[in-house]
Amino acid sequence: MSARGALRFLLWCLASEDLILPNGGTPAGTSSPASSSSLLNRLQLDDDIDGETRDLFVTVDDPKKHVCTMETYITYRITTKSTRVEFDLPEYSVRRRYQDFDWLRNKLEESQPTHLIPPLPEKFVVKGVVDRFSEEFVETRRKALDKFLKRITDHPVLSFNEHFNVFLTAKDLNAYKKQGMALLTRVGESVKHVTGGYKLRSRPLEFAAIGDYLDTFALKLGTIDRIAQRIIKEEIEYLVELREYGPVYSTWSALEGELAEPLEGVSACIGNCSTALEELTDDMTEDFLPVLREYILYSDSMKSVLKKRDQVQAEYEAKLEAVALRKEDRPKVPADVEKCQDRMECFNADLKADMERWQNNKRQDFRQLLMGMADKNIQYYEKCLTAWESIIPLLQEKQEAK
Amino acid sequence: MEQAPRDPERQLQPAPLEPLGHLDAGLQSAVGEEAEVARDESPGEGTMTENNFWLKKIEISVSEAEKRTGRNAMNMQETYTAYLIETRSVEHTDGQSVLTDSLWRRYSEFELLRNYLLVYYPHIVVPPLPEKRAEFVWHKLSADNMDPDFVERRRIGLENFLLRVASHPILCRDKIFYLFLTQEGNWKETVNETGFQLKADSRLKALNATFRVKNPDKRFTELKHYSDELQSVISHLLRVRARVADRLYGVYKVHGNYGRVFSEWSAIEKEMGDGLQSAGHHMDVYASSIDDILEDEEHYADQLKEYLFYAEALRAVCRKHELMQYDLEMAAQDLASKKQQCEELATGTVRMFSLKGMTTKLFGQETPEQREARVKVLEEQINEGEQQLKSKNLEGREFVKNAWADIERFKEQKNHDLKEALISYAVMQISMCKKGIQVWTNAKECFSKM
């Protein structure tokens, strides 16, 4: 995002209120970013925030089960460390539940409609077979929620969002939630008003390319998800057979004299391989599949942001056309059309910047994900190799004549 | 299985080959071994040649299989597979092998040979043939007898059978076996001329003996129990192994789909494209590696199958013992009853019911002369009976001794072979694991370049 674009954006946020602000002031009650100058300062920094320049750290851990009369639910501890001025204290620790995350995401979508908001893990457990309170499920969710907050933390604009700040710091989030309901963000509203009614003639080439990319990307991810699920299914069926196979060698061993130990050894070996396989399938289910699904959600939400962008462009083009038909205002472009143009250009800029960030993160995330998958398979085979290599000496042992 | 005391005479002298057509030719040669040690090496009809034949080292191989069509017994066209058997003799001096015989045989002829051996060597654990029809198949293998993989594995199994027979100290000297390897035409007629089918114990007789025998040798009872259990456990093992193979195949093949989708995905990526594409290639390699792995495992399954069928051969020896023992018990019982009859006639007391006794009571006593005559007949019968019992006893003991000797030999062979089989199985698994590590390491490297 260029500095000019950032300035435009700032002006857009403020101008939609028809407020003309004194330098550096922030009108209370809006969700616009902190002071304009501090925003600019930050935006002039490199988008890629590496460890050295990072000044905000957020972690999700320590899930706890709460049993109440009406319901049972899980809360997670959110720990925040920051040197930013927006935070009164250097460190915060609060507890939040999934509902709160959901609320945050909605707020971010409302207040930052031109930006891509990271996805949350699925709200409802579809299958019904999965236990919402099982260790595996809670851990998978925790990781996803942690990822969600970290992605926001890494975002140069979203991380300064007021709702985000409150989410990280407020002792009583519910009170804030109630308060926030009354004050809908003007910014959000102005974009919300741009719904329907405007049909985009054609998407500019670069956004069309993004759209096509996202379509194919989601398709391929869907296929990979299906393949991964199928592999896990086959592996589980293989495991079932192995669990019957190993013990037969034990049964045989009981019949034999000299062969008893070798056969028992083979049985134990197959048992070890079965355990290793179970670990592999568990890992893939817990670590691989959820991340894949997250990215499918991510690309879906990117597509809806694209559509919103289309809407903004459509409105602008429609208004422009309307002006062109009216002959009076020829010499000067009316203010509201200019506003539309700004809105559109901001949106385009934000989207392109986010898309680039998203592409980079995606590349790193998938690199890590796929390397992880390879690693898990390597570990599985290494465990099996150890097991089989260790019984070779047992099998070759010369038995004493009994 | 408990160990029998080692028989110092287990190493048999080269036994003379009996002329064909003698009942229990093999048994007699074994039985006769102790008493007729002096008879060895005497030139009988063709014995010298055969003995010399076995003194040289020979190599037997079933080198080829060929599809043939011909007419069967009912003059209908049929397709079958013929196998080429080649015999080579190895000169001691220079180690060179010379092809001495080469002929074609089909599976049914192997069966004929084996059935003959079963009849003439009931105290030997006769090596089994490979299965007639493909069983314990997992989905990829065809159950079709004409399938090339099946034919190939059968070829190996038949070669194995011949090698087992040739390396058996007693079976290798059999003339019919020798002719099987050397006489292409007329061999079937020659075998049938021995009349061995007539000498085979009827199944019914054997079953009857199994149920009614009172005092079989405990070791044989245990052995029978063992062979039943062995059969059951190996069948189970083979069935589950086939299912395991099927599932493993599925796991590997599904990974092949990654190859295609990574390739498609790489087309829309800029920096990630190359890494994805090459990783996809490794996934394809992974998927196709399973074919060879499972082909190798089939050899392990075949080794297990051989011992599954060997269990049946063990049972056959036990059955023969039960039959002989039952025969003996019946003869002893018959003798005892005749002796009792004799005694009664001599003393005049009637302890047992007899028709003669009843008629005597009803129609009057018999004359002393008549009684004399009857006693004489009985005494003759008793004499005969005692001779028979004595020889049956001897036969029975010889059978037990020789059978047990072969069983000990078999036990050692089994332990050795199965250990080797398990080792080769472990080696196969190790190889599979190493290949897996290799492929995934390669894929990981490709991913790292994404």
Side-chain angles (χ1 to χ4, degrees), chain B residues 382-430:
Chain B
I382 287 168
N383 237 345
E384 243 178 72
E386 276 178 341
Q387 290 298 325
Q388 268 205 349
L389 193 64
K390 209 161 133 190
S391 81
K392 277 200 158 90
N393 241 317
L394 189 67
E395 260 178 46
R397 280 206 303 274
E398 281 303 313
F399 177 88
V400 166
K401 187 175 86 162
N402 294 314
W404 209 256
D406 196 58
I407 286 161
E408 288 300 321
R409 181 206 59 81
F410 168 76
K411 228 194 335 167
E412 290 213 8
Q413 174 198 296
K414 177 204 82 177
N415 286 339
H416 173 266
D417 289 350
L418 287 175
K419 251 209 253 187
E420 289 298 312
L422 289 176
I423 291 172
S424 79
Y425 185 64
V427 167
M428 275 182 233
Q429 300 305 307
I430 287 170

Side-chain angles (χ1 to χ4, degrees), chain B residues 228-389:
Chain B
D228 284 342
E229 304 264 279
L230 187 69
Q231 219 175 21
S232 160
V233 86
I234 297 185
S235 299
H236 189 195
L237 194 64
L238 286 169
R239 269 197 310 275
V240 183
R241 193 213 70 90
R243 294 205 304 261
V244 166
D246 195 29
R247 291 301 176 194
L248 190 61
Y249 183 79
V251 170
Y252 271 72
K253 286 300 178 191
V254 180
H255 278 86
N257 290 316
Y258 274 147
R260 193 178 48 237
V261 75
F262 282 170
S263 181
E264 291 166 2
W265 183 9
S266 72
I268 59 168
E269 296 291 342
K270 281 174 281 178
E271 300 108 341
M272 277 168 61
D274 287 336
L276 271 178
Q277 178 90 317
S278 42
H281 162 74
H282 291 298
M283 290 294 100
D284 285 332
V285 168
Y286 182 68
S288 59
S289 68
I290 192 66
D291 296 304
D292 285 342
I293 290 169
L294 288 177
E295 183 59 44
D296 285 344
E297 272 200 27
E298 281 308 312
H299 292 301
Y300 171 67
D302 283 341
Q303 287 173 297
L304 292 180
K305 271 184 218 171
E306 192 191 14
Y307 278 92
L308 174 69
F309 303 142
Y310 252 128
E312 181 57 50
L314 268 181
R315 257 242 282 327
V317 176
C318 296
R319 266 202 304 270
K320 182 68 182 181
H321 164 74
E322 282 171 346
L323 205 69
M324 290 179 80
Q325 181 64 16
Y326 179 68
D327 219 24
L328 187 72
E329 285 170 7
M330 286 291 103
Q333 200 178 2
D334 189 55
L335 184 68
S337 107
K338 285 206 164 73
K339 279 189 174 162
Q340 179 143 49
Q341 272 192 320
C342 203
E343 194 204 308
E344 283 175 6
L345 281 177
T347 60
T349 52
V350 181
R351 243 175 274 138
M352 277 166 37
F353 174 82
S354 76
L355 195 58
K356 192 72 191 164
M358 273 318 288
T359 53
T360 310
K361 275 222 152 93
L362 293 171
F363 301 112
Q365 292 265 340
E366 53 183 357
T367 66
E369 292 84 19
Q370 283 175 319
R371 202 190 301 156
E372 250 331 295
R374 273 213 294 142
V375 166
K376 243 211 164 80
V377 165
L378 269 177
E379 278 177 349
E380 265 173 45
Q381 284 181 338
I382 287 168
N383 237 345
E384 243 178 72
E386 276 178 341
Q387 290 298 325
Q388 268 205 349
L389 193 64

